[in-house]
Amino acid sequence: MRVLVVKTSSLGDVLQTLPAVSDAKRENPGLVIDWLVEEAFAPAPGWHPGVTDVIPLALRRWRRHPNLREFLGLVRRLRARRYDLVLDAQGLFKSAAMAMIARGSVVGLDAKSAREPAASLIYGRRISVPRDMHAVDRLRRLFAEAIGYALPGSAPDYGLAPGPRPATPRLLLLHGATWESKRWPETYWSELARRAIAAGIEPMLRWHDPAEHASAQRIAAGAPGTRILPAPNLQALRKVIAGASMVAANDSGPAHLAAALGVPSITVYGSTRPAHNGTLGANQIHLAAEFPCSPCRSRACLYRGPSAVQPACYGTIPPARVWQEIERIIAGRP
């Protein structure tokens, strides 16, 4: 049986699909899985030993710079092989449309389960999955019902081999996030780095674009001795995360990669909550803001009252609170 998985973005969503792939391969060792994904995230499915062929697409790039030749090339590639099942694990109209191009029976979430209900109109078979579950659990259930096996009761297995842990303790500060409202204040990151240095732990920052590099430089200026490492792509990011003893992170794709690699992590949540999309795995600690308008689920902080920090909700998660959790990890009781 050959299955095409359509899960195009973003990094966290792609990584949260990996445990479902592990389940499917464990229950059906002869299953062949291909994966359609945005080109920026294409390395992630390829890391899983159960994925045979990764097919990149460039919808994000094509929106800015249309390229008919590239698109037709993708169509030919999707039509070149017959699939026993085309599984849209995204639940969006755009992902359903891409699934429809491939040759095979298209399966996806029903209207009540999909993020965009209209997507379900494209599917030949629709599956109901409760929305009040964690994304990893929802995807595991979707795969089990679509492919036809009993849902395993085991803990999620991302299928990624963890890297060797460093000989000296290193704290990686994942300070970036797509949403402004998800970014813990830079002054807080600097204080956390200073606490690490005082405890004999090497703090590290990574960056992938000029804006994140500038932010890392400001944070490091407030904590001399903090290393700044470039991570311009996913392969470099994986190497940086795998080389850390522990991670402190905003709610972001790299935080999910740390969880997938089994690195002990503390993730802070302000405008969001971890119940449905938080990092999932061993030694994952979630700190959620306790503020009247949190979680606002807004990309920018909308609070206009007096506040010592921005976003305002992060005033309820000061560096001392995060450091307390780091000390628990160091003590071996995360």
Side-chain angles (χ1 to χ4, degrees), residues 1-3 28 30-33 84-85 146-148:
M1 183 180 188
R2 192 168 198 129
V3 175
N28 301 272
L31 185 68
V32 178
I33 297 176
D84 299 289
L85 189 70
I147 298 171

Side-chain angles (χ1 to χ4, degrees), residues 173-176 184-194 204-205 212-224 226 228 250:
L173 311 177
L174 294 174
H175 68 293
W184 207 47
E186 291 180 355
T187 54
Y188 280 12
W189 287 114
S190 294
E191 181 178 336
L192 191 64
R194 291 195 298 270
M204 304 183 301
L205 292 157
E212 201 166 79
H213 189 203
S215 176
Q217 290 177 315
R218 290 191 295 270
I219 293 168
T226 302
I228 301 177
N250 291 322

Side-chain angles (χ1 to χ4, degrees), residues 1-5 17-26 28-35 44-54 143 147 157-160:
M1 183 180 188
R2 192 168 198 129
V3 175
L4 175 65
V5 172
T17 312
L18 297 181
V21 173
S22 298
D23 292 345
K25 289 292 291 185
R26 189 179 303 112
N28 301 272
L31 185 68
V32 178
I33 297 176
D34 296 342
W35 194 315
W47 292 334
H48 196 292
V51 176
T52 300
D53 191 13
V54 177
F143 272 59
I147 298 171
D157 173 15
Y158 290 90
L160 305 186

Side-chain angles (χ1 to χ4, degrees), residues 95-161:
S95 59
M98 296 307 301
M100 186 173 61
I101 293 173
R103 295 173 59 207
S105 175
V106 182
V107 179
L109 296 164
D110 68 11
K112 292 184 178 179
S113 308
R115 186 170 161 189
E116 293 180 358
S120 66
L121 299 174
I122 293 176
Y123 309 138
R125 180 157 63 100
R126 303 167 185 86
I127 296 172
S128 176
V129 177
R131 298 188 66 130
D132 60 345
M133 300 171 63
H134 192 280
V136 170
D137 298 324
R138 296 188 81 223
L139 287 161
R140 295 179 75 185
R141 179 174 292 194
L142 174 63
F143 272 59
E145 294 199 25
I147 298 171
Y149 56 86
L151 182 65
S154 56
D157 173 15
Y158 290 90
L160 305 186

Side-chain angles (χ1 to χ4, degrees), residues 293-311:
C293 55
S294 177
C296 63
R297 296 183 174 84
S298 171
R299 289 178 173 268
C301 180
L302 303 177
Y303 181 73
R304 295 296 177 262
S307 175
V309 298
Q310 285 292 329

Side-chain angles (χ1 to χ4, degrees), residues 43-318:
W47 292 334
H48 196 292
V51 176
T52 300
D53 191 13
V54 177
I55 304 173
L57 79 157
L59 289 180
R60 294 183 175 187
R61 177 163 56 83
W62 292 337
R63 287 194 197 105
R64 300 189 303 271
H65 308 288
N67 190 316
L68 181 60
R69 187 173 69 173
E70 285 187 358
F71 177 73
L72 293 177
L74 173 65
V75 171
R76 285 192 295 270
R77 185 171 179 182
L78 289 174
R79 301 290 297 173
R81 176 179 287 136
R82 177 77 187 181
Y83 288 100
D84 299 289
L85 189 70
V86 179
L87 177 54
D88 179 13
Q90 194 93 31
L92 301 177
F93 190 81
K94 68 175 182 180
S95 59
M98 296 307 301
M100 186 173 61
I101 293 173
R103 295 173 59 207
S105 175
V106 182
V107 179
L109 296 164
D110 68 11
K112 292 184 178 179
S113 308
R115 186 170 161 189
E116 293 180 358
S120 66
L121 299 174
I122 293 176
Y123 309 138
R125 180 157 63 100
R126 303 167 185 86
I127 296 172
S128 176
V129 177
R131 298 188 66 130
D132 60 345
M133 300 171 63
H134 192 280
V136 170
D137 298 324
R138 296 188 81 223
L139 287 161
R140 295 179 75 185
R141 179 174 292 194
L142 174 63
F143 272 59
E145 294 199 25
I147 298 171
Y149 56 86
L151 182 65
S154 56
D157 173 15
Y158 290 90
L160 305 186
R165 290 292 175 258
T168 57
R170 294 175 181 168
L171 171 63
L172 177 61
L173 311 177
L174 294 174
H175 68 293
T178 305
W179 292 11
E180 178 187 328
S181 63
K182 291 183 178 182
R183 297 173 196 157
W184 207 47
E186 291 180 355
T187 54
Y188 280 12
W189 287 114
S190 294
E191 181 178 336
L192 191 64
R194 291 195 298 270
R195 286 174 179 265
I197 292 169
I201 299 170
E202 181 183 18
M204 304 183 301
L205 292 157
R206 52 66 81 174
W207 61 273
H208 80 283
D209 62 23
E212 201 166 79
H213 189 203
S215 176
Q217 290 177 315
R218 290 191 295 270
I219 293 168
T226 302
R227 290 178 63 194
I228 301 177
L229 303 173
N233 54 53
L234 283 187
Q235 297 288 8
L237 176 63
R238 179 179 181 176
K239 183 177 180 181
V240 169
I241 291 176
S245 308
M246 64 200 92
V247 164
N250 291 322
D251 178 14
S252 61
H256 288 284
L257 181 53
L261 291 171
V263 180
S265 305
I266 303 102
T267 306
V268 294
Y269 297 85
S271 60
T272 57
R273 283 291 180 269
H276 294 159
N277 283 288
T279 59
L280 192 65
N283 300 328
Q284 297 300 305
I285 299 169
H286 302 147
L287 297 179
E290 298 178 2
F291 202 71
C293 55
S294 177
C296 63
R297 296 183 174 84
S298 171
R299 289 178 173 268
C301 180
L302 303 177
Y303 181 73
R304 295 296 177 262
S307 175
V309 298
Q310 285 292 329
C313 59
Y314 283 130
T316 66
I317 315 175

